[in-house]
Amino acid sequence: MKNVMLIGASRGIGLEFVRQYRADGVAVTATARSEEGRARIEALGARALTVDVATAAGAAALAWPIDGEAFDTLIFNAGVYGPRTSGLATPTEAEFNAVMHTNVLGAMRVLPQLAAHLAPGAKLAVISSRMGSIGLRGSADGWLYRASKAALNSVLKDVSIAFAGQATCISFHPGWVRTDMGGAGADLDVATSVAGMRRTLAALKPADNGGFFNFDGQPLAW
Ligand SMILES: NC(=O)c1ccc[n+]([C@@H]2O[C@H](COP(=O)([O-])OP(=O)(O)OC[C@H]3O[C@@H](n4cnc5c(N)ncnc54)[C@H](OP(=O)(O)O)[C@@H]3O)[C@@H](O)[C@H]2O)c1
């Protein structure tokens, strides 16, 4: 029986991971910040925990409920976009902190905690973005979000080195997906994005550790 852990699964891509893994009969533990988010997770037959990665106490709340448990697949999905800027509009300190504390510091709080919860042959993914790629950069729109996902990719690379031999760790671009963040005009429905990422995760080999992948398994430049 597989055992999946999802961080940030109240809606959008995270909740769709819960839905699809549960539809396959997989045991899922998933986190949300709100009562409504937890209810949506529980309605899919998953265990819901309350975790807010943007605060130290909120991220530490993950520890005791999963004490002694091991997961085959672990996904850090929590993320915010922040200001929808074009060009070089300097963010306020509050905007900078909100985005960086969730997308980067949140991952740096949660991922080290997961070291003790890796089942043999575990796979770990962060949901990053192609917008964080420096090699593929063709626009400066949303530069705070881009900087946060570039930093998240750096964090994932370090995690892949620290967890080498224990887990295969990758960064994902989920595609441009129709969610609250992606908007109604995005390319992909959430089911297609998540089905692609699940297929890619299932096919990962140890040599893929530390890689950056599109939802459909194509490697991406950092
Ligand atoms: N949609 C796209 O086109 C797209 C493209 C590239 C990358 N991504 C990435 O994919 C991931 C999921 O995005 P989405 O499209 O599903 O966005 P979404 O619908 O806005 O959902 C974001 C999720 O992150 C959670 N979250 C936000 N701040 C959190 C915090 N401090 N602690 C814990 N959870 C937190 C939200 O929980 P609440 O309900 O509590 O706010 C929600 O479950 C994000 O990392 C995003 O950057 C999305």
Side-chain angles (χ1 to χ4, degrees):
M1 180 72 164
K2 277 181 64 179
N3 202 10
V4 169
M5 157 65 70
L6 281 151
I7 309 296
S10 61
R11 55 196 167 93
I13 291 169
L15 190 65
E16 180 63 16
F17 268 117
V18 178
R19 193 187 69 72
Q20 292 194 17
Y21 278 122
R22 287 300 302 139
D24 282 356
V26 172
V28 176
T29 299
T31 78
R33 293 189 290 182
S34 63
E35 187 62 49
E36 300 74 31
R38 280 195 303 279
R40 285 192 289 274
I41 290 165
E42 285 168 351
L44 295 168
R47 174 171 62 157
L49 306 178
T50 304
V51 172
D52 181 347
V53 305
T55 70
L62 182 62
W64 71 260
I66 61 168
D67 188 32
E69 291 184 43
F71 299 93
D72 306 281
T73 301
L74 307 96
I75 300 173
F76 182 87
N77 175 72
V80 292
Y81 191 89
R84 298 201 174 251
T85 53
S86 58
L88 307 185
T90 301
T92 65
E93 198 170 321
E95 288 169 339
F96 182 89
N97 287 344
V99 174
M100 290 294 187
H101 285 188
T102 304
N103 298 4
V104 189
L105 183 54
M108 295 174 94
R109 286 179 169 134
V110 167
L111 297 175
Q113 293 188 57
L114 300 181
H117 302 282
L118 304 170
K123 293 164 181 179
L124 182 151
V126 298
I127 309 303
S128 178
S129 173
R130 192 188 156 104
M131 287 180 73
S133 168
I134 293 172
L136 300 171
R137 193 73 53 94
S139 161
D141 290 355
W143 71 330
L144 174 55
Y145 179 76
R146 289 179 186 279
S148 76
K149 293 299 192 180
L152 175 63
N153 283 350
S154 172
V155 165
L156 179 279
K157 196 73 184 184
D158 291 335
V159 168
S160 77
I161 292 167
F163 290 180
Q166 293 173 268
T168 304
C169 305
I170 65 155
S171 185
F172 260 133
H173 172 56
W176 182 26
V177 189
R178 291 191 288 278
T179 61
D180 293 339
M181 186 186 293
D187 289 338
L188 285 177
D189 62 79
V190 71
T192 303
S193 166
V194 168
M197 288 191 279
R198 291 177 65 226
R199 265 195 303 278
T200 301
L201 280 167
L204 282 182
K205 297 177 184 56
D208 295 319
N209 189 39
F212 185 19
F213 293 93
N214 200 34
F215 73 98
D216 61 6
Q218 288 303 306
L220 294 173
W222 294 111

Short mmCIF file of all heavy atoms in Angstrom, two decimals, residues 7-14 31-34 40 51-55 76-80 102-103 127-130 145 149 172-183 186, ligand 1:
data_model
loop_
_atom_site.label_atom_id
_atom_site.label_comp_id
_atom_site.label_asym_id
_atom_site.label_seq_id
_atom_site.Cartn_x
_atom_site.Cartn_y
_atom_site.Cartn_z
N ILE A 7 1.90 18.67 1.04
CA ILE A 7 1.91 19.90 1.83
C ILE A 7 1.26 21.01 1.02
O ILE A 7 1.77 21.39 -0.04
CB ILE A 7 3.37 20.33 2.17
CG1 ILE A 7 4.16 19.18 2.79
CG2 ILE A 7 3.37 21.56 3.08
CD1 ILE A 7 3.67 18.69 4.10
N GLY A 8 0.11 21.52 1.49
CA GLY A 8 -0.59 22.60 0.78
C GLY A 8 -1.57 22.03 -0.22
O GLY A 8 -1.35 22.12 -1.44
N ALA A 9 -2.66 21.42 0.29
CA ALA A 9 -3.56 20.67 -0.61
C ALA A 9 -5.02 21.05 -0.44
O ALA A 9 -5.91 20.26 -0.73
CB ALA A 9 -3.37 19.17 -0.35
N SER A 10 -5.29 22.28 -0.03
CA SER A 10 -6.67 22.69 0.24
C SER A 10 -7.49 22.90 -1.03
O SER A 10 -8.72 22.86 -1.00
CB SER A 10 -6.67 24.01 1.03
OG SER A 10 -6.03 25.01 0.25
N ARG A 11 -6.81 23.15 -2.16
CA ARG A 11 -7.51 23.48 -3.42
C ARG A 11 -6.51 23.34 -4.56
O ARG A 11 -5.33 23.03 -4.33
CB ARG A 11 -8.11 24.90 -3.38
CG ARG A 11 -7.09 25.97 -3.05
CD ARG A 11 -7.77 27.29 -2.62
NE ARG A 11 -6.80 28.21 -2.02
CZ ARG A 11 -6.12 29.15 -2.67
NH1 ARG A 11 -6.35 29.34 -3.96
NH2 ARG A 11 -5.26 29.92 -2.05
N GLY A 12 -6.98 23.56 -5.80
CA GLY A 12 -6.09 23.61 -6.96
C GLY A 12 -5.32 22.30 -7.17
O GLY A 12 -5.86 21.19 -7.02
N ILE A 13 -4.06 22.44 -7.52
CA ILE A 13 -3.22 21.30 -7.89
C ILE A 13 -3.07 20.33 -6.71
O ILE A 13 -3.16 19.11 -6.88
CB ILE A 13 -1.84 21.81 -8.38
CG1 ILE A 13 -2.00 22.52 -9.73
CG2 ILE A 13 -0.82 20.68 -8.47
CD1 ILE A 13 -0.77 23.31 -10.20
N GLY A 14 -2.87 20.85 -5.51
CA GLY A 14 -2.69 19.99 -4.34
C GLY A 14 -3.91 19.11 -4.09
O GLY A 14 -3.78 17.89 -3.86
N THR A 31 -2.12 18.50 3.92
CA THR A 31 -2.26 19.63 4.84
C THR A 31 -3.04 20.78 4.22
O THR A 31 -3.07 20.97 3.00
CB THR A 31 -0.88 20.16 5.28
OG1 THR A 31 -0.32 20.97 4.23
CG2 THR A 31 0.08 19.04 5.64
N ALA A 32 -3.69 21.53 5.12
CA ALA A 32 -4.41 22.75 4.74
C ALA A 32 -4.25 23.75 5.87
O ALA A 32 -3.80 23.40 6.97
CB ALA A 32 -5.88 22.45 4.51
N ARG A 33 -4.63 25.01 5.60
CA ARG A 33 -4.56 26.02 6.66
C ARG A 33 -5.91 26.27 7.29
O ARG A 33 -5.99 26.74 8.40
CB ARG A 33 -4.05 27.34 6.09
CG ARG A 33 -2.62 27.30 5.63
CD ARG A 33 -2.11 28.67 5.28
NE ARG A 33 -2.71 29.20 4.06
CZ ARG A 33 -2.40 30.36 3.53
NH1 ARG A 33 -1.51 31.14 4.13
NH2 ARG A 33 -2.97 30.77 2.40
N SER A 34 -7.00 26.02 6.55
CA SER A 34 -8.34 26.40 7.00
C SER A 34 -9.21 25.17 7.25
O SER A 34 -8.94 24.07 6.73
CB SER A 34 -9.01 27.25 5.92
OG SER A 34 -9.18 26.47 4.75
N ARG A 40 -12.39 19.68 2.60
CA ARG A 40 -12.29 19.21 1.21
C ARG A 40 -11.36 18.00 1.11
O ARG A 40 -11.61 17.07 0.35
CB ARG A 40 -11.80 20.35 0.29
CG ARG A 40 -12.88 21.39 0.01
CD ARG A 40 -12.48 22.33 -1.12
NE ARG A 40 -11.43 23.26 -0.75
CZ ARG A 40 -11.62 24.44 -0.16
NH1 ARG A 40 -12.85 24.84 0.13
NH2 ARG A 40 -10.61 25.23 0.15
N VAL A 51 -1.35 22.82 8.68
CA VAL A 51 0.03 23.29 8.57
C VAL A 51 0.03 24.60 7.79
O VAL A 51 -0.55 24.68 6.70
CB VAL A 51 0.92 22.24 7.84
CG1 VAL A 51 2.30 22.82 7.56
CG2 VAL A 51 1.04 20.96 8.66
N ASP A 52 0.67 25.62 8.36
CA ASP A 52 0.92 26.88 7.65
C ASP A 52 2.43 27.02 7.53
O ASP A 52 3.11 27.26 8.53
CB ASP A 52 0.32 28.06 8.42
CG ASP A 52 0.52 29.39 7.70
OD1 ASP A 52 1.32 29.44 6.74
OD2 ASP A 52 -0.11 30.38 8.10
N VAL A 53 2.95 26.87 6.31
CA VAL A 53 4.40 26.84 6.15
C VAL A 53 5.04 28.21 6.32
O VAL A 53 6.26 28.32 6.42
CB VAL A 53 4.81 26.23 4.78
CG1 VAL A 53 4.19 24.85 4.60
CG2 VAL A 53 4.46 27.15 3.62
N ALA A 54 4.21 29.27 6.34
CA ALA A 54 4.75 30.62 6.41
C ALA A 54 5.12 31.05 7.82
O ALA A 54 5.67 32.14 8.01
CB ALA A 54 3.76 31.61 5.78
N THR A 55 4.79 30.24 8.82
CA THR A 55 5.21 30.56 10.20
C THR A 55 5.96 29.37 10.77
O THR A 55 5.68 28.21 10.41
CB THR A 55 4.01 30.89 11.11
OG1 THR A 55 3.27 29.68 11.35
CG2 THR A 55 3.10 31.95 10.51
N PHE A 76 5.80 18.91 -1.88
CA PHE A 76 5.65 20.26 -1.33
C PHE A 76 5.02 21.13 -2.42
O PHE A 76 5.68 21.49 -3.40
CB PHE A 76 7.02 20.84 -0.90
CG PHE A 76 6.91 22.20 -0.28
CD1 PHE A 76 6.68 22.34 1.09
CD2 PHE A 76 7.01 23.35 -1.05
CE1 PHE A 76 6.55 23.60 1.67
CE2 PHE A 76 6.88 24.61 -0.48
CZ PHE A 76 6.65 24.73 0.88
N ASN A 77 3.73 21.45 -2.25
CA ASN A 77 2.95 22.15 -3.27
C ASN A 77 2.61 23.59 -2.89
O ASN A 77 2.30 24.41 -3.75
CB ASN A 77 1.66 21.35 -3.53
CG ASN A 77 0.71 22.04 -4.48
OD1 ASN A 77 0.98 22.10 -5.67
ND2 ASN A 77 -0.38 22.58 -3.96
N ALA A 78 2.64 23.90 -1.59
CA ALA A 78 2.19 25.22 -1.11
C ALA A 78 2.92 26.33 -1.86
O ALA A 78 4.14 26.28 -2.02
CB ALA A 78 2.45 25.33 0.39
N GLY A 79 2.17 27.33 -2.31
CA GLY A 79 2.81 28.44 -3.00
C GLY A 79 1.86 29.60 -3.19
O GLY A 79 0.64 29.42 -3.21
N VAL A 80 2.42 30.80 -3.26
CA VAL A 80 1.65 32.00 -3.58
C VAL A 80 2.36 32.74 -4.72
O VAL A 80 3.58 32.60 -4.88
CB VAL A 80 1.48 32.93 -2.37
CG1 VAL A 80 0.59 32.29 -1.31
CG2 VAL A 80 2.82 33.32 -1.76
N THR A 102 6.56 31.92 2.15
CA THR A 102 5.78 30.73 1.77
C THR A 102 6.58 29.84 0.84
O THR A 102 6.79 28.65 1.12
CB THR A 102 4.46 31.16 1.07
OG1 THR A 102 3.75 32.02 1.94
CG2 THR A 102 3.62 29.94 0.74
N ASN A 103 7.04 30.39 -0.27
CA ASN A 103 7.61 29.56 -1.34
C ASN A 103 9.01 29.05 -1.02
O ASN A 103 9.39 27.97 -1.51
CB ASN A 103 7.65 30.35 -2.65
CG ASN A 103 6.27 30.76 -3.14
OD1 ASN A 103 5.27 30.51 -2.47
ND2 ASN A 103 6.19 31.41 -4.29
N ILE A 127 6.64 21.56 -6.06
CA ILE A 127 5.96 22.14 -7.22
C ILE A 127 6.51 23.55 -7.39
O ILE A 127 6.16 24.48 -6.65
CB ILE A 127 4.43 22.14 -7.05
CG1 ILE A 127 3.92 20.75 -6.67
CG2 ILE A 127 3.79 22.61 -8.37
CD1 ILE A 127 4.28 19.62 -7.62
N SER A 128 7.42 23.66 -8.32
CA SER A 128 8.08 24.92 -8.62
C SER A 128 7.38 25.54 -9.83
O SER A 128 6.15 25.46 -9.95
CB SER A 128 9.56 24.65 -8.88
OG SER A 128 10.23 25.83 -9.22
N SER A 129 8.13 26.13 -10.72
CA SER A 129 7.55 26.71 -11.94
C SER A 129 8.65 26.95 -12.95
O SER A 129 9.78 27.28 -12.58
CB SER A 129 6.88 28.04 -11.62
OG SER A 129 6.47 28.67 -12.82
N ARG A 130 8.27 26.81 -14.20
CA ARG A 130 9.17 27.19 -15.30
C ARG A 130 9.53 28.68 -15.19
O ARG A 130 10.58 29.12 -15.66
CB ARG A 130 8.40 26.91 -16.59
CG ARG A 130 9.17 26.96 -17.85
CD ARG A 130 8.19 26.86 -19.02
NE ARG A 130 8.83 27.47 -20.17
CZ ARG A 130 9.36 26.79 -21.17
NH1 ARG A 130 9.23 25.49 -21.23
NH2 ARG A 130 9.99 27.40 -22.14
N TYR A 145 7.78 36.40 -7.92
CA TYR A 145 7.45 34.96 -7.99
C TYR A 145 8.57 34.19 -8.67
O TYR A 145 8.98 33.13 -8.21
CB TYR A 145 6.13 34.82 -8.76
CG TYR A 145 5.64 33.40 -8.95
CD1 TYR A 145 5.05 32.70 -7.90
CD2 TYR A 145 5.73 32.77 -10.19
CE1 TYR A 145 4.58 31.40 -8.08
CE2 TYR A 145 5.26 31.49 -10.39
CZ TYR A 145 4.68 30.81 -9.32
OH TYR A 145 4.21 29.52 -9.51
N LYS A 149 10.74 31.07 -7.05
CA LYS A 149 10.80 29.70 -7.58
C LYS A 149 12.24 29.34 -8.00
O LYS A 149 12.62 28.16 -7.93
CB LYS A 149 9.82 29.54 -8.74
CG LYS A 149 8.34 29.62 -8.33
CD LYS A 149 7.93 28.53 -7.33
CE LYS A 149 6.42 28.45 -7.16
NZ LYS A 149 5.99 27.41 -6.21
N PHE A 172 9.25 20.29 -10.08
CA PHE A 172 8.28 20.17 -11.18
C PHE A 172 7.82 21.53 -11.66
O PHE A 172 7.55 22.44 -10.85
CB PHE A 172 7.00 19.49 -10.68
CG PHE A 172 6.87 18.03 -11.00
CD1 PHE A 172 6.49 17.14 -10.01
CD2 PHE A 172 7.08 17.55 -12.29
CE1 PHE A 172 6.34 15.80 -10.28
CE2 PHE A 172 6.94 16.21 -12.58
CZ PHE A 172 6.57 15.33 -11.57
N HIS A 173 7.64 21.67 -12.97
CA HIS A 173 6.75 22.70 -13.53
C HIS A 173 5.44 22.00 -13.85
O HIS A 173 5.43 21.07 -14.67
CB HIS A 173 7.35 23.32 -14.79
CG HIS A 173 6.39 24.23 -15.50
ND1 HIS A 173 5.79 25.30 -14.86
CD2 HIS A 173 5.90 24.23 -16.76
CE1 HIS A 173 4.98 25.92 -15.72
NE2 HIS A 173 5.03 25.29 -16.88
N PRO A 174 4.31 22.41 -13.22
CA PRO A 174 3.07 21.68 -13.44
C PRO A 174 2.36 22.03 -14.76
O PRO A 174 1.30 21.47 -15.05
CB PRO A 174 2.20 22.14 -12.25
CG PRO A 174 2.69 23.52 -11.95
CD PRO A 174 4.17 23.50 -12.24
N GLY A 175 2.97 22.90 -15.56
CA GLY A 175 2.27 23.47 -16.71
C GLY A 175 1.58 24.75 -16.26
O GLY A 175 1.64 25.13 -15.08
N TRP A 176 0.93 25.42 -17.22
CA TRP A 176 0.11 26.59 -16.86
C TRP A 176 -1.31 26.06 -16.68
O TRP A 176 -1.95 25.63 -17.65
CB TRP A 176 0.20 27.67 -17.94
CG TRP A 176 -0.57 28.91 -17.62
CD1 TRP A 176 -0.90 29.38 -16.37
CD2 TRP A 176 -1.13 29.84 -18.55
NE1 TRP A 176 -1.61 30.55 -16.47
CE2 TRP A 176 -1.77 30.85 -17.80
CE3 TRP A 176 -1.15 29.92 -19.94
CZ2 TRP A 176 -2.42 31.93 -18.41
CZ3 TRP A 176 -1.80 30.99 -20.55
CH2 TRP A 176 -2.42 31.98 -19.78
N VAL A 177 -1.78 26.03 -15.44
CA VAL A 177 -2.92 25.22 -15.05
C VAL A 177 -4.09 26.10 -14.59
O VAL A 177 -3.89 27.07 -13.84
CB VAL A 177 -2.52 24.26 -13.90
CG1 VAL A 177 -3.65 23.27 -13.64
CG2 VAL A 177 -1.24 23.51 -14.24
N ARG A 178 -5.30 25.71 -14.99
CA ARG A 178 -6.51 26.46 -14.61
C ARG A 178 -6.86 26.20 -13.14
O ARG A 178 -7.54 25.22 -12.81
CB ARG A 178 -7.68 26.08 -15.52
CG ARG A 178 -7.50 26.58 -16.94
CD ARG A 178 -8.75 26.45 -17.77
NE ARG A 178 -9.08 25.10 -18.14
CZ ARG A 178 -8.54 24.42 -19.16
NH1 ARG A 178 -7.64 24.98 -19.94
NH2 ARG A 178 -8.92 23.18 -19.41
N THR A 179 -6.32 27.09 -12.27
CA THR A 179 -6.60 27.08 -10.83
C THR A 179 -6.83 28.53 -10.42
O THR A 179 -6.76 29.43 -11.26
CB THR A 179 -5.39 26.53 -10.04
OG1 THR A 179 -4.28 27.41 -10.29
CG2 THR A 179 -5.02 25.10 -10.45
N ASP A 180 -7.02 28.76 -9.12
CA ASP A 180 -7.13 30.15 -8.65
C ASP A 180 -5.89 30.93 -9.07
O ASP A 180 -5.98 32.09 -9.49
CB ASP A 180 -7.27 30.20 -7.12
CG ASP A 180 -8.59 29.61 -6.65
OD1 ASP A 180 -9.54 29.55 -7.47
OD2 ASP A 180 -8.68 29.22 -5.47
N MET A 181 -4.69 30.30 -8.96
CA MET A 181 -3.46 31.00 -9.31
C MET A 181 -3.31 31.12 -10.82
O MET A 181 -2.96 32.18 -11.35
CB MET A 181 -2.23 30.28 -8.74
CG MET A 181 -0.95 31.06 -8.97
SD MET A 181 0.54 30.18 -8.47
CE MET A 181 0.34 30.10 -6.71
N GLY A 182 -3.53 30.05 -11.55
CA GLY A 182 -3.28 30.03 -13.00
C GLY A 182 -4.32 30.82 -13.79
O GLY A 182 -4.02 31.33 -14.87
N GLY A 183 -5.56 30.93 -13.26
CA GLY A 183 -6.62 31.66 -13.93
C GLY A 183 -7.36 30.80 -14.96
O GLY A 183 -6.89 29.72 -15.36
N ALA A 186 -5.78 29.61 -18.53
CA ALA A 186 -4.56 28.80 -18.59
C ALA A 186 -4.71 27.64 -19.57
O ALA A 186 -5.82 27.27 -19.96
CB ALA A 186 -4.21 28.28 -17.19
N1 LIG B 1 -1.49 27.13 -11.66
C1 LIG B 1 -0.41 27.29 -12.40
O1 LIG B 1 -0.48 27.59 -13.60
C2 LIG B 1 0.95 27.05 -11.79
C3 LIG B 1 2.07 27.15 -12.66
C4 LIG B 1 3.33 26.91 -12.13
C5 LIG B 1 3.49 26.58 -10.80
N2 LIG B 1 2.39 26.52 -9.99
C6 LIG B 1 2.63 26.16 -8.57
O2 LIG B 1 1.79 25.07 -8.21
C7 LIG B 1 1.50 25.13 -6.81
C8 LIG B 1 -0.01 25.01 -6.62
O3 LIG B 1 -0.61 26.11 -7.32
P1 LIG B 1 -2.17 26.21 -7.67
O4 LIG B 1 -2.25 26.66 -9.07
O5 LIG B 1 -2.90 25.00 -7.23
O6 LIG B 1 -2.52 27.47 -6.74
P2 LIG B 1 -3.74 27.77 -5.76
O7 LIG B 1 -4.99 27.24 -6.31
O8 LIG B 1 -3.60 29.23 -5.46
O9 LIG B 1 -3.37 26.89 -4.45
C9 LIG B 1 -2.24 27.22 -3.67
C10 LIG B 1 -2.18 26.23 -2.52
O10 LIG B 1 -1.06 26.59 -1.68
C11 LIG B 1 -1.54 26.68 -0.35
N3 LIG B 1 -0.78 27.64 0.46
C12 LIG B 1 -0.55 28.95 0.21
N4 LIG B 1 0.14 29.50 1.22
C13 LIG B 1 0.34 28.52 2.14
C14 LIG B 1 0.97 28.46 3.39
N5 LIG B 1 1.54 29.55 3.97
N6 LIG B 1 1.01 27.27 4.07
C15 LIG B 1 0.44 26.17 3.52
N7 LIG B 1 -0.20 26.15 2.34
C16 LIG B 1 -0.24 27.33 1.65
C17 LIG B 1 -2.97 27.16 -0.50
O11 LIG B 1 -3.68 26.98 0.72
P3 LIG B 1 -4.89 28.02 1.18
O12 LIG B 1 -6.15 27.50 0.54
O13 LIG B 1 -4.88 27.90 2.66
O14 LIG B 1 -4.51 29.38 0.69
C18 LIG B 1 -3.43 26.25 -1.64
O15 LIG B 1 -3.72 24.97 -1.18
C19 LIG B 1 2.08 26.46 -6.31
O16 LIG B 1 3.32 26.21 -5.68
C20 LIG B 1 2.27 27.25 -7.59
O17 LIG B 1 3.29 28.21 -7.46
C21 LIG B 1 1.13 26.74 -10.45
#
